[in-house]
Amino acid sequence: MAGVLVLIGVAVLAVPVLLILALVSVAGLKRRVAVLEQQLDALRRSAAAGAATGVPATEPAPRATAPVPERVRPELQSDVSAPTLAELTRPTTPAHGPEPPAPRATAPVPPPLPPAEVAVPAAASARAPQAPSAPAEPPRPDFISLGLRAVKRWFTVGNVPVKIGVLVLFAGVAALLKYASDQGWLRLPIELRLAGIAAASLAALVFAWRKRESNRSFALSLQGGAIGILLLTVFAAFKRYELLEATPAFALSVILIAGAGALAVLQNAKALAVFAILAGFLAPIWLSTGSGNHVALFSYYAVLNAAILGVAWWKPWRILNLLGFVFTFGIGTAWGVLDYQPAKFATTEPFLLLFFAFYLIIPLLYARRQPEGRRGLVEGCLVFGTPLVAFSLQAGLLQGERLPLAFNALGLAALYALLAAALRRRGGFERMAPSYAVLAVGFATLAVPLALSAHATASVFALEGAALVWLGLHQQRRLPLITGTGLQLLAAFAFLLGLSPVLPDTAVANPAFMGALLIALAGLASAWVLRAHDRPMPALAFYLWGMAWWLGTAINEIGRFVAWDVRADALLVLVAFTGWIAAEVHRRRPATALAMTTLLALAAALPLALAQTQAHGQPFAGYGALAWLAYAAMGVRSLLCLRSSEHALAGWAQFAWLLVWPSVLSMLLEWVGGRFELAEGWRALGIGLPWLVAAALGLFRWPWLAAPLGARFDGYRGTLLVVLFAMLGIGGLGSLWLAGAASPLPWVPLLNPLELAQLAVFVLFACWAWSPQAPELLRQWRPMALALLGFALITSVVLHAVHHWGGVAWNDRLISTGLAQTSLTVVWSVLGVIGWIAGSRRGQRGLWLAGAVLMGVVLVKLILVDRGNLGDVLGIASFIAYGLLCTVVGYLAPAPPRVAGPENDGEHA
């Protein structure tokens, strides 16, 4: 029923498409008629105008034959006056002599010259036309465009009405049969009704056969529809009404399908042949009784494939071959997955061999039917798909037995080698020989893992693949290059299949590690050869492949043989060693991928330091000190190698190197503070101290940081300082929320560890802001930036004083206490007064405004916040202090400083 509905939907969709095509055609005709009417009307108006002026309608209007030179136009226009009404209405007479000049107007206006047609020079007209350039070859359409084009062709080419009529009739008959049966309208026995439908279909088939020459498109469409209705009738008689047994229904279906195929071959109708093949392969499915007789099913499919083979002998219909291949092996695979058992091997294997033989011969027949120039055209889907699918099915039949599969692979290799040799000596088929040679090599290679262990297979494949890559580049041939790449992929697949969960007894010297190492070395060797032959993209792919196998194998080996608390140390040595080797190779043959490997290796130390800290408290514990010593030595050597190559990534590698060491030392000092139970302020100072030292060296002792690259690293100084001060800024901002205890020493404002670190950050930031290395944006806003930092630092000192000296707990409620609010009011007011007075005395209007704004902020704070504390002494003190300070300011600096200018200077004088 679903198929019937689909056909009805196609028919319904076809009607609007045809209507649209008809409307488009009618609209085009209307547009052409309108254009013709306009042209006729214009001719009539021109004829009437010619009759009124005395000029014959057939005489063309006078036209200028040559353009007026630009240099002549001004003189002509200066001597021509505006024509009078009498001149315009005077009849035209031939010029026998100079006419008396017309009286000029007082203010002559030169008339516009008539538009002159640009005459083509004789030399230009006599010039030989240039030969048109050869048109570019249009791009090949994609599958969607081809599909849309096929749909459009179906609806626009051939006998479209009969096509749609057959579809509608096909769907209508099926729907009518069901509806009439459900409603009980047909009182005749179902046998007579089905017989009548079959008789009508046979009559239509005969009629279509008689019209095959006079109306081919109509006849072919009607034939397909009639056979389809007959097949539906057989299906209904068997499946729905049980009037036929399975064997007669199947026999009738086979006869109808064979008849459709014969009609297709006789009339050279590919579409009819496709219909017959589809119906033939689907007939056992819709006529299935669930008996599971696979011998009968495959025997029937063997007959169908023999028919396809016979058609291929006469007709090069590629779609027919592909449909047979897909349905045969697709249905066979589905049956094997759902119903195959080892006991059925003897009755299944012959059919698999038979189907393989069919689709081994069909591509050769297809090539044979091609024209002489295209005879070597390779049918890739069948040439390569048949052995791969058949061998996979053979593996399923043998239940994965490796030695029989190895012999099967060797047999296929020998078969395809013989075919390749035979086709090379046969004229016209030379282009097919390489395809069969590739299959021979492939199956011969496949026999290796089936006969040997997985690790040995991986080693053989990897080395063979690298050798083939070298051979392909040396001989400038693509096939060995592709084969070598495929072999290395097969090596990896074989290795993964052979992995065993059982741990080996010896580290490194075990088959698993050695096999994976050979795969990695083969990939890296292929990358080296490709790089030498100027193939950068394939070289990069092989390099990434080899590095992935090297790192994966080494990490797996560390995970198997190294204790968990030492793995981070071993990984640090591994990445340092990898980066060093890449740098050494880069020094001899520079490549961006090698320099990037060194850069990533140096940067990877930071996450590994975090892993070390999680494993044993700090990065240098256990074997961490030895690991960092190796990292330092190999890192310095790697940077020296990059310096000698003068690669652009050398600076970024040292950049990452310089950021790793402050991070690691901060982790170490933080652990020291916790180990000796130091107060929070001391621990904060220890975390920030390496970054302070790095920033100070970057400002005052740059050559110490620039080594080993030296002067080549000078261009990274500004960026490095930005990153260092960004880290210091983040740390300083976070330290504002710490209580900052200084025990065992007493807490003193600005002389405790936490605030000393904050003050050091402030001083270094000020030095950086006024240094040549500061960014331009910082130079523009450095006064405001320093003022904000100083304000934040002083506010932090006040709140810490309230906590340590006032005994107020350091928590979220500290800021809302009366002591904290009063202290902030007084301190902020003092700062505002200082800025107010200093700005007035020094004539700095900006400083005076900053003090005034701060005093305004304090006033708003008094009204909104401190007003609630007027009931205690601290609230009252806040208001009094602010009032007194404002009074002092009003006396010392009541007005802002004047802006220097001519007006002010005169007023002052």
Side-chain angles (χ1 to χ4, degrees):
M1 189 60 189
V4 173
L5 294 177
V6 171
L7 293 176
I8 294 174
V10 172
V12 172
L13 290 175
V15 175
V17 173
L18 293 177
L19 290 177
I20 291 172
L21 293 175
L23 290 175
V24 170
S25 302
V26 172
L29 292 175
K30 287 183 177 179
R31 188 161 47 252
R32 295 180 60 186
V33 170
V35 172
L36 292 174
E37 289 178 350
Q38 291 176 1
Q39 293 177 354
L40 182 60
D41 188 40
L43 290 175
R44 288 175 179 172
R45 286 199 302 269
S46 64
T53 57
V55 180
T58 59
E59 184 177 343
R63 289 164 44 172
T65 59
V68 180
E70 293 294 330
R71 64 177 180 274
V72 182
R73 290 178 182 173
E75 291 80 358
L76 292 176
Q77 294 178 1
S78 63
D79 294 337
V80 178
S81 60
T84 63
L85 181 61
E87 291 176 343
L88 292 174
T89 58
R90 183 183 304 159
T92 305
T93 58
H96 297 287
E99 294 184 0
R104 294 190 179 182
T106 307
V109 179
L113 293 176
E117 294 184 359
V118 180
V120 181
S125 62
R127 188 179 303 163
Q130 297 181 358
S133 59
E137 184 180 354
R140 298 184 64 184
D142 54 1
F143 291 104
I144 297 177
S145 300
L146 290 175
L148 294 176
R149 187 180 300 172
V151 173
K152 179 182 177 182
R153 180 179 177 83
W154 195 90
F155 280 108
T156 56
V157 177
N159 198 329
V160 178
V162 75
K163 292 180 181 180
I164 298 176
V166 168
L167 286 178
V168 175
L169 180 63
F170 198 8
V173 169
L176 180 62
L177 286 174
K178 186 178 185 307
Y179 185 77
S181 176
D182 294 339
Q183 297 296 327
W185 290 354
L186 299 176
R187 300 302 179 184
L188 293 176
I190 190 62
E191 295 87 348
L192 294 179
R193 283 178 268 166
L194 293 178
I197 295 172
S201 300
L202 287 173
L205 184 61
V206 172
F207 177 75
W209 172 257
R210 294 172 63 100
K211 296 292 182 181
R212 68 186 183 279
E213 295 180 357
S214 60
N215 198 337
R216 175 179 171 82
S217 178
F218 171 84
L220 292 178
S221 300
L222 190 57
Q223 289 173 24
I227 294 174
I229 292 175
L230 288 172
L231 286 172
L232 283 178
T233 304
V234 173
F235 173 75
F238 168 70
K239 212 57 166 171
R240 182 169 181 81
Y241 303 108
E242 299 180 356
L243 300 176
L244 290 175
E245 297 294 334
T247 302
F250 187 73
L252 287 175
S253 298
V254 170
I255 292 173
L256 291 174
I257 293 166
L263 291 175
V265 174
L266 291 174
Q267 300 173 93
N268 196 23
K270 186 191 298 185
L272 193 58
V274 170
F275 168 75
I277 289 299
L278 288 175
F281 278 103
L282 293 177
I285 297 176
W286 73 50
L287 297 176
S288 174
T289 59
S291 62
N293 189 350
H294 66 284
V295 175
L297 175 67
F298 292 145
S299 300
Y300 170 71
Y301 279 173
V303 174
L304 278 181
N305 284 290
I308 294 174
L309 181 66
V311 172
W313 181 271
W314 299 104
K315 302 292 182 183
W317 288 344
R318 181 171 180 266
I319 184 64
L320 211 65
N321 305 333
L322 292 178
L323 285 176
F325 173 78
V326 170
F327 275 96
T328 299
F329 288 103
I331 295 175
T333 302
W335 174 84
V337 171
L338 298 176
D339 198 39
Y340 175 74
Q341 296 176 359
K344 300 179 181 179
F345 176 81
T347 56
T348 306
E349 178 70 14
F351 289 108
L352 179 59
L353 296 177
L354 179 62
F355 295 149
F356 171 76
F358 278 142
Y359 289 98
L360 179 68
I361 300 172
I362 285 175
L364 298 174
L365 296 179
Y366 174 76
R368 173 178 168 272
R369 300 302 303 177
Q370 295 297 317
E372 186 67 28
R374 293 168 51 88
R375 180 164 295 177
L377 185 64
V378 177
E379 177 56 69
C381 295
L382 298 184
V383 169
F384 294 98
T386 300
L388 295 178
V389 174
F391 189 79
S392 301
L393 294 177
Q394 181 71 7
L397 295 181
L398 293 175
Q399 298 291 308
E401 295 183 13
R402 296 176 56 183
L403 192 57
L405 278 177
F407 285 113
N408 277 272
L410 286 176
L412 286 173
L415 174 63
Y416 281 108
L418 291 175
L419 281 174
L423 292 177
R424 286 191 63 183
R425 294 190 298 268
R426 186 176 180 84
F429 291 89
E430 295 86 354
R431 292 173 56 188
M432 297 185 68
S435 302
Y436 290 111
V438 168
L439 288 172
V441 173
F443 279 105
T445 305
L446 185 60
V448 174
L450 296 174
L452 302 177
S453 66
H455 297 152
T457 300
S459 303
V460 172
F461 280 5
L463 296 177
E464 184 181 358
L468 284 175
V469 168
W470 172 83
L471 182 63
L473 292 172
H474 183 70
Q475 297 180 351
Q476 297 296 320
R477 294 175 59 193
R478 182 174 299 178
L479 183 60
L481 184 62
I482 297 175
T483 306
T485 304
L487 279 177
Q488 295 190 47
L489 294 176
L490 285 176
F493 184 70
F495 178 83
L496 294 177
L497 284 180
L499 286 179
S500 174
V502 180
L503 291 177
D505 298 331
T506 307
V508 178
N510 58 78
F513 180 81
M514 289 301 175
L517 182 61
L518 286 176
I519 295 175
L521 292 177
L524 295 175
S526 301
W528 178 278
V529 174
L530 287 165
R531 177 72 179 175
H533 286 77
D534 197 18
R535 303 282 185 89
M537 294 307 296
L540 178 61
F542 271 105
Y543 178 76
L544 295 176
W545 169 264
M547 288 301 299
W549 274 94
W550 156 247
L551 292 176
T553 303
I555 291 172
N556 179 70
E557 203 73 2
I558 290 173
R560 285 187 170 187
F561 292 98
V562 178
W564 71 270
D565 57 339
V566 191
R567 289 175 186 172
D569 306 328
L571 289 175
L572 180 62
V573 176
L574 171 65
V575 297
F577 175 77
T578 303
W580 167 54
I581 294 298
E584 292 287 353
V585 178
H586 176 79
R587 184 171 64 88
R588 291 166 175 80
R589 182 173 290 180
T592 301
L594 295 169
M596 181 60 71
T597 301
T598 303
L599 168 61
L600 295 177
L602 294 176
L606 185 57
L608 291 175
L610 295 174
Q612 288 175 319
T613 302
Q614 185 178 6
H616 36 68
Q618 51 103 355
F620 296 92
Y623 292 96
L626 294 176
W628 282 103
L629 181 62
Y631 174 80
M634 288 186 284
V636 170
R637 177 57 187 171
S638 300
L639 294 176
L640 289 173
C641 293
L642 294 180
R643 182 184 68 180
S644 62
S645 67
E646 298 184 358
H647 197 276
L649 290 178
W652 291 112
Q654 183 163 334
F655 192 94
W657 162 270
L658 291 176
L659 292 180
V660 165
W661 289 107
S663 304
V664 175
L665 294 176
S666 294
M667 296 177 194
L668 174 63
L669 293 178
E670 198 279 334
W671 176 83
V672 170
R675 174 68 176 80
F676 293 97
E677 298 181 355
L678 298 179
E680 191 177 45
W682 294 104
R683 298 178 68 176
L685 176 62
I687 293 174
L689 185 59
W691 297 98
L692 289 170
V693 173
L697 291 176
L699 284 174
F700 308 115
R701 293 293 183 270
W702 174 248
W704 295 9
L705 290 184
L709 291 186
R712 288 191 54 209
F713 194 63
D714 290 345
Y716 298 85
R717 184 178 185 182
T719 307
L720 180 63
L721 288 174
V722 169
V723 174
L724 291 175
F725 279 102
M727 296 298 298
L728 288 174
I730 295 172
L733 183 62
S735 68
L736 295 177
W737 308 100
L738 300 177
S743 56
L745 300 178
W747 187 89
V748 179
L750 294 179
L751 296 179
N752 59 84
L754 179 64
E755 290 172 353
L756 282 174
Q758 294 172 348
L759 187 60
V761 172
F762 180 82
V763 172
L764 287 175
F765 182 81
C767 295
W768 178 49
W770 266 268
S771 68
Q773 289 77 32
E776 185 64 27
L777 182 63
L778 178 60
R779 295 181 188 178
Q780 296 176 0
W781 297 96
R782 56 191 174 190
M784 182 176 293
L786 288 176
L788 292 176
L789 288 177
F791 177 75
L793 180 59
I794 292 174
T795 302
S796 174
V797 171
V798 171
L799 294 177
H800 281 87
V802 170
H803 166 63
H804 290 285
W805 287 354
V808 180
W810 184 265
N811 51 35
D812 297 339
R813 293 187 296 272
L814 182 144
I815 192 69
S816 60
T817 60
L819 179 59
Q821 290 298 324
T822 301
S823 302
L824 290 177
T825 299
V826 173
V827 173
W828 288 359
S829 300
V830 171
L831 290 176
V833 168
I834 292 173
W836 216 336
I837 295 175
S840 179
R841 292 295 178 87
R842 297 185 178 184
Q844 297 178 356
R845 189 177 180 87
L847 182 58
W848 187 93
L849 288 175
V853 170
L854 185 55
M855 292 298 290
V857 171
V858 175
L859 178 60
V860 173
K861 176 178 175 295
L862 286 172
I863 296 173
L864 298 179
V865 179
D866 294 351
R867 184 184 61 180
N869 298 326
L870 284 176
D872 55 21
V873 178
L874 294 175
I876 296 172
S878 299
F879 278 82
I880 292 175
Y882 185 81
L884 290 176
L885 291 172
C886 285
T887 302
V888 172
V889 171
Y891 175 74
L892 298 175
R898 298 180 182 274
V899 179
E903 299 178 358
N904 294 338
D905 294 343
E907 183 180 353
H908 179 70

